[in-house]
Amino acid sequence: MRYCNRCLYPENHPLHLTFDEDGVCSGCRVHEEKDTLDWTARAERLEAILSRYRGKGDARYDCIVPVSGARDSYFIVDMVRRRFGMNPLLVSYNRQFNTPRGIRNLAYLRTIFDRDYMQLILAPDEVKAITRETIHRIGSMYWHVLAGQTVFPVQVAVRLKIPLIIWGAHQGIDQVGMYSHTDEVEMTRKYRCEHDLMGIEAEDLIDGTEGLHERDLVQLMYPHDRELARVGVRGIYLNNYLRWDSKRQHEDMIAAYDYESAAQQRTFDTYNDVDCQHYSGLHDQVKFLKWGYGKVTDHATREIRLRRMTREQGIEMVRRYADVEPRDKQAFLDWVGMSAADFDAAIDRFRDPRIWSLDNGTWTLRDSVLNHATDTAVEQARLTPAEPWHDFIVTGTRAPDEAEDEYVLMAKGYVPGVPAPTVVRPDTPTG
Ligand SMILES: [Zn+2]
């Protein structure tokens, strides 16, 4: 397997990488723009876009900001509201796997900025059926989350006639350099389907092994082009206009607003995914089982490119976290209603043969970045350090003294162990 001489990415990255003659990947090359572009001028371009929407008419909102209990949400709202003076409606899709800390972060976020907030929580049994379908179909336990969080804001935009959606970082730019920052790419149905959703639209899940109908999936369907055109919906990404540095942004938000961080199971980044029970646990192990690397590689790569971490430090992080067994697997299996054997067999079907081989019933990793610490061209590709490394902060908690369950359940996506009632009247009248 070929690995980038600068960062830790392998050539089988699912968003696709290209390598230049120095063996440096497209993600690293586009990332160099963060140190060469005129970010003052780029922020002025953002202001020029926002000024066309700001405070228009009597509308209560002039934009939508998708948020969660983590992942730069504080930074995005702080920029949009405080620095650029917009009136955002905050929206989120409930991923059902919330942590108390994520719920607190979200509750404080909408309170601190005093914004209206809308959330979509899908019916629990339906989400489980959708999740079983996507585990079997594409080896993904997280498809419903990716589908929901990329479409609910768009549906709200159409429904409430709010034409502008403001997202944080575009992963095609920040991770793999699919586009330059100066391309100023915007939200599209095509990118969402091909990359966010791994090529599977909600419509594709109809009539599979779970017997899902269109009515089970409408909340995850992208609005028709005609509806988008009628409102003039567009989605812009802030990382095209602001020099994106997730670690620094979170540390600013910890200092300004007491954003809560937390230690994560399979990575050293204690900021990005503290709102999800599975993201840095089982979900990340599934990523590793498919592609031979996990989130720790994404996070170390990001820090190497921002010139805080050396490639060698990054490899040490991979060594420390790549094989950690997630503690949340049984909780997920109980929730989704699958045995470990069925789940493992479903995931094994999607292991990338470029990095995994099956020998006498045992899966073996054919290669790893750990074997590429001293490749000959690594020195030549090295960046000069910009700032000394310091560990990600683990903050204290803002949990109140009373028993947490009493307020957590108000926002959590489901209540464990509650049986569904017997349906007295069928959905469709008969006779
Ligand atoms: Zn690279």
Side-chain angles (χ1 to χ4, degrees):
M1 180 66 61
R2 186 170 186 182
Y3 290 83
C4 177
N5 283 324
R6 179 176 294 167
C7 72
L8 306 183
Y9 276 149
E11 64 180 319
N12 71 332
H13 191 300
L15 293 182
H16 309 298
L17 286 168
T18 55
F19 291 88
D20 66 12
E21 61 277 11
D22 297 322
V24 174
C25 77
S26 44
C28 284
R29 286 304 182 206
V30 165
H31 199 278
E32 290 173 3
E33 295 177 358
K34 288 194 186 178
D35 292 329
T36 56
L37 288 173
D38 178 349
W39 290 102
T40 307
R42 298 208 64 72
E44 285 164 9
R45 292 182 68 83
L46 175 61
E47 167 55 28
I49 295 170
L50 298 181
S51 65
R52 277 181 258 150
Y53 297 90
R54 188 183 293 117
K56 277 279 161 346
D58 299 327
R60 185 168 173 80
Y61 319 108
D62 47 28
C63 62
I64 288 174
V65 173
V67 295
S68 69
R71 201 54 92 85
D72 293 305
S73 294
Y74 276 56
F75 176 77
I76 297 166
V77 177
D78 188 53
M79 281 293 124
V80 168
R81 177 68 185 143
R82 198 181 51 77
R83 177 167 164 192
F84 288 96
M86 302 293 285
N87 297 301
L89 169 65
L90 309 185
V91 304
S92 70
Y93 172 78
N94 190 310
R95 66 185 76 194
Q96 312 253 339
F97 311 136
N98 308 306
T99 63
R101 179 169 278 99
I103 291 164
R104 274 199 302 277
N105 275 335
L106 201 43
Y108 277 93
L109 174 68
R110 54 194 171 76
T111 310
I112 290 167
F113 290 96
D114 195 26
R115 300 312 302 168
D116 289 356
Y117 168 67
M118 283 176 66
Q119 179 175 217
L120 174 66
I121 309 179
L122 292 187
D125 284 348
E126 239 168 51
V127 175
K128 292 175 198 179
I130 292 168
T131 302
R132 286 190 299 270
E133 184 74 40
T134 60
I135 287 170
H136 287 115
R137 191 79 71 99
I138 49 170
S140 175
M141 59 181 267
Y142 223 64
W143 182 92
H144 91 87
V145 179
L146 300 168
Q149 68 194 16
T150 52
V151 85
F152 181 57
V154 185
Q155 291 179 343
V156 173
V158 167
R159 227 174 284 155
L160 300 187
K161 300 185 174 58
I162 305 170
L164 181 65
I165 304 173
I166 304 178
W167 301 92
H170 190 295
Q171 292 312 314
I173 301 167
D174 219 48
Q175 281 198 20
V176 294
M178 196 182 292
Y179 310 101
S180 160
H181 295 87
T182 58
D183 293 338
E184 300 184 19
V185 286
E186 300 194 359
M187 172 184 83
T188 64
R189 175 199 308 274
K190 186 166 184 283
Y191 183 91
R192 170 180 180 263
C193 176
E194 289 178 3
H195 301 293
D196 294 331
L197 304 187
M198 298 152 275
I200 295 287
E201 285 275 16
E203 292 86 331
D204 300 326
L205 301 177
I206 295 170
D207 291 336
T209 51
E210 293 290 330
L212 294 166
H213 297 95
E214 182 171 337
R215 64 168 182 258
D216 304 319
L217 293 154
V218 284
Q219 298 278 30
L220 300 176
M221 289 179 185
Y222 210 75
H224 195 281
D225 283 341
R226 252 194 330 267
E227 297 178 283
L228 299 174
R230 197 181 311 133
V231 179
V233 175
R234 69 191 284 204
I236 62 169
Y237 295 87
L238 286 183
N239 73 320
N240 284 321
Y241 308 100
L242 305 171
R243 184 183 183 278
W244 208 254
D245 182 342
S246 187
K247 181 171 193 256
R248 180 168 301 169
Q249 288 161 198
H250 278 104
E251 285 167 2
D252 288 348
M253 296 301 104
I254 290 169
Y257 304 116
D258 293 330
Y259 172 81
E260 285 186 44
S261 72
Q264 299 296 299
Q265 296 188 60
R266 289 175 45 84
T267 181
F268 60 92
D269 179 336
T270 62
Y271 303 159
N272 264 289
D273 303 299
V274 300
D275 56 341
C276 185
Q277 194 184 350
H278 301 303
Y279 194 87
S280 298
L282 181 60
H283 172 61
D284 183 56
Q285 190 189 44
V286 167
K287 177 183 168 105
F288 179 80
L289 296 177
K290 287 159 103 174
W291 305 106
Y293 75 92
K295 291 305 288 182
V296 65
T297 295
D298 292 322
H299 296 155
T301 287
R302 195 186 60 208
E303 297 307 314
I304 291 166
R305 290 171 177 174
L306 286 164
R307 300 191 286 147
R308 284 192 282 257
M309 187 181 258
T310 63
R311 193 169 185 274
E312 291 70 26
Q313 282 175 298
I315 287 174
E316 270 318 297
M317 293 295 185
V318 172
R319 199 187 305 280
R320 191 184 306 172
Y321 289 104
D323 298 321
V324 171
E325 272 303 316
R327 296 186 301 269
D328 54 305
K329 184 171 181 176
Q330 195 55 50
F332 176 78
L333 294 174
D334 291 345
W335 174 82
V336 80
M338 282 178 81
S339 70
D342 284 353
F343 181 80
D344 293 347
I347 300 302
D348 282 345
R349 290 179 45 228
F350 296 94
R351 293 202 194 222
D352 183 349
R354 288 172 293 180
I355 195 74
W356 291 100
S357 61
L358 182 60
D359 312 298
N360 300 321
T362 307
W363 288 99
T364 312
L365 201 56
R366 295 154 64 116
D367 202 356
S368 155
V369 74
L370 304 183
N371 303 329
H372 296 270
T374 55
D375 286 358
T376 44
V378 164
E379 280 313 317
Q380 191 188 317
R382 194 181 290 282
L383 295 168
T384 49
E387 55 183 288
W389 171 256
H390 73 84
D391 285 339
F392 280 64
I393 299 162
V394 178
T395 64
T397 169
R398 287 181 287 192
D401 291 335
E402 51 275 24
E404 217 167 69
D405 282 356
E406 287 172 20
Y407 74 96
V408 164
L409 291 180
M410 290 170 60
K412 203 164 177 139
Y414 67 98
V415 183
V418 177
T422 311
V423 175
V424 179
R425 203 184 55 171
D427 283 346
T428 32
T430 49

